Amino acid sequence: MSTPGRGLHGRVLDALGPAITAGEYPPGSVLRTDELSQHFEVSRSVMREAVRVLESMHLVESRRRVGVTVRPKDEWNVYDPQVIRWRLAGADRPHQLRSLTVLRSAIEPVAAGLAARHATAAQCAELTECALGMVAHSRGHELEEYLVHDVAFHRVILTASGNEMFARLGDVVAEVLAGRTHHEVMFEDPDPAAVTLHVQVAEAVREGDASRAEQLTRAIMTGALQELDVLAP
């Protein structure tokens, strides 16, 4: 399904991006814009627009008299939320989920400790509200509603850390959490222990207990990795 509001070039991206990240066009493959225009039944200007977006993600490079060449995977912008979304939709999902969850395990506990030191009163209140929202939607298969509060919770943690590099990972974490939900890489209802841990993290941040906030968040990440062992080995 094409992303709303992106027009024709969005439709092309929604087909071509996942095909590239899934390996249907291996690194070194040369794509001809005129042939692609015919295939997707769009103008060359629309095709060029889509190619520019793929270039910004480092998925391809365009050269005159050569065409559009698919770049090696190790050159892709793997932090781009759209690239993450495409990879999570393909066969690379288990590896992608594990890689991103390991990244979260390295970053989020530290961010939670910093948040306990630097969070404003408003951020503490927002974190508590998010945690309570998670509790409210943790039963009855309300995974989409739960996801909204879960994403918001982790965004607050990263932002409240006061570290702009951590804060910029909010979109990455959001895509991981959304991917786990939308591709059914989790149980029918969230793990009650994990929900409780989120409430306890909010309390630790509010109380300024950096060590406890970091410890509890590390426990959340350990649980997320163990969940992958069961559902996406």
Side-chain angles (χ1 to χ4, degrees):
M1 180 180 296
S2 181
T3 302
R6 289 200 299 158
L8 290 174
H9 89 278
R11 178 170 63 81
V12 174
L13 283 173
D14 289 337
L16 196 53
I20 292 173
T21 57
E24 293 178 28
Y25 298 101
S29 300
V30 177
L31 312 177
R32 306 292 181 183
T33 54
D34 54 347
E35 294 176 1
L36 290 172
S37 296
Q38 293 177 10
H39 176 74
F40 289 107
E41 299 181 338
V42 296
S43 67
R44 292 185 181 183
S45 62
V46 168
M47 198 64 235
R48 285 194 295 269
E49 170 102 18
V51 168
R52 277 195 293 269
V53 175
L54 295 173
E55 283 184 297
S56 73
M57 299 172 177
H58 296 182
L59 294 181
V60 303
E61 61 179 344
S62 182
R63 294 181 181 178
R64 294 186 64 183
R65 299 189 178 86
V66 175
V68 179
T69 306
V70 177
R71 299 175 69 161
K73 184 182 294 186
D74 59 8
E75 295 180 4
W76 296 354
N77 181 3
V78 293
Y79 288 101
D80 188 294
Q82 184 67 77
V83 174
I84 292 172
R85 192 177 310 156
W86 288 336
R87 294 180 74 186
L88 287 176
D92 195 34
R93 185 183 308 140
H95 174 266
Q96 176 78 157
L97 276 172
R98 189 167 299 280
S99 177
L100 290 166
T101 304
V102 169
L103 173 68
R104 292 182 61 203
S105 299
I107 298 299
E108 291 197 57
V110 177
L114 290 171
R117 296 186 179 97
H118 303 298
T120 65
Q123 287 171 328
C124 288
E126 186 179 359
L127 199 61
T128 298
E129 183 179 348
C130 292
L132 293 177
M134 292 172 70
V135 172
H137 296 286
S138 61
R139 287 290 177 268
H141 312 314
E142 299 181 357
L143 292 181
E144 287 296 335
E145 294 84 354
Y146 180 89
L147 174 64
V148 171
H149 296 285
D150 195 11
V151 168
F153 181 95
H154 291 279
R155 282 191 186 277
V156 176
I157 286 289
L158 292 167
T159 302
S161 72
N163 183 300
E164 71 276 12
M165 303 299 287
F166 288 176
R168 288 297 298 272
L169 291 174
D171 288 344
V172 172
V173 172
E175 289 298 337
V176 180
L177 295 173
R180 290 168 68 243
T181 299
H182 297 153
H183 297 294
E184 301 179 353
V185 189
M186 62 185 302
F187 300 102
E188 291 185 347
D189 279 328
D191 178 11
V195 178
T196 299
L197 284 170
H198 282 76
V199 174
Q200 292 173 338
V201 169
E203 292 173 349
V205 170
R206 186 174 63 250
E207 294 168 0
D209 191 336
S211 177
R212 180 163 168 76
E214 181 170 344
Q215 179 185 23
L216 290 166
T217 306
R218 198 170 301 283
I220 292 173
M221 295 298 102
T222 298
L225 282 169
Q226 290 174 341
E227 191 175 74
L228 288 182
D229 288 338
V230 175
L231 297 170

